[in-house]
Amino acid sequence: MVEEKKPKESQDVKDEKAASPEAKPKAAEAVVARRSGKKKERKNVPMAVVHIHATFNNTVITIADMQGNVLAWSSAGCLGFKGSRKGTPFAAQMAAQAAGNAAKEHGVRSLEVRVKGPGSGRESSIRALQGIGLEVKAIKDVTPIPHNGCRPPKRRRV
């Protein structure tokens, strides 16, 4: 009952296959296939609608085509502003520039602006969009106003 140990040929063969130059391109192709995924579409949209949601704490700018499909968006918090600095006109200006430049890549040239909310970033974001070369055709205030709807919260004590 003497057992002879056979050399581990199966492992040696596997190591040689892994080290062979034929195995590497297959792995590289798999990585490229995973990374390629879905490419971003570059649309050609000459006219767009900008929705500016300006609250006391933040400003969100969304640029959509005329059907409502979002092309680009940005916010003060998205750009790294934290705390009370998100509600400043400068943060709103930077957010508008970021969203406007992203929309320009889709071919946007003229805008229709819809502003909502009481925040301080309303005017500065519109000026920033004009400053980067986009033509503002119309500005509309779409802030919701209650007609004696819900009871307001009780008065704030400071």
Side-chain angles (χ1 to χ4, degrees), residues 49-63 73-77 86-88 91-93 95-96 99 113-126 129 140-144:
V49 181
V50 180
H51 299 275
I52 298 172
H53 186 80
T55 64
F56 293 120
N57 297 321
N58 202 354
T59 304
V60 181
I61 288 106
T62 307
I63 302 176
W73 70 274
S74 185
S75 70
K86 288 192 297 186
T88 62
Q93 176 185 342
V113 180
R114 295 182 184 166
V115 187
K116 182 187 280 189
S120 61
R122 294 163 57 103
E123 288 84 19
S124 63
S125 54
I126 296 170
L129 290 168
K140 189 175 182 183
D141 190 1
V142 291
T143 305

Side-chain angles (χ1 to χ4, degrees), residues 83-141:
S84 60
R85 288 187 292 156
K86 288 192 297 186
T88 62
F90 177 71
Q93 176 185 342
M94 299 302 285
Q97 285 177 353
N101 287 329
K104 274 178 128 179
E105 292 178 10
H106 291 287
V108 175
R109 290 186 298 278
S110 60
L111 302 170
E112 181 182 312
V113 180
R114 295 182 184 166
V115 187
K116 182 187 280 189
S120 61
R122 294 163 57 103
E123 288 84 19
S124 63
S125 54
I126 296 170
R127 289 183 199 278
L129 290 168
Q130 288 174 329
I132 61 170
L134 295 170
E135 183 186 355
V136 176
K137 295 273 188 190
I139 300 170
K140 189 175 182 183
D141 190 1

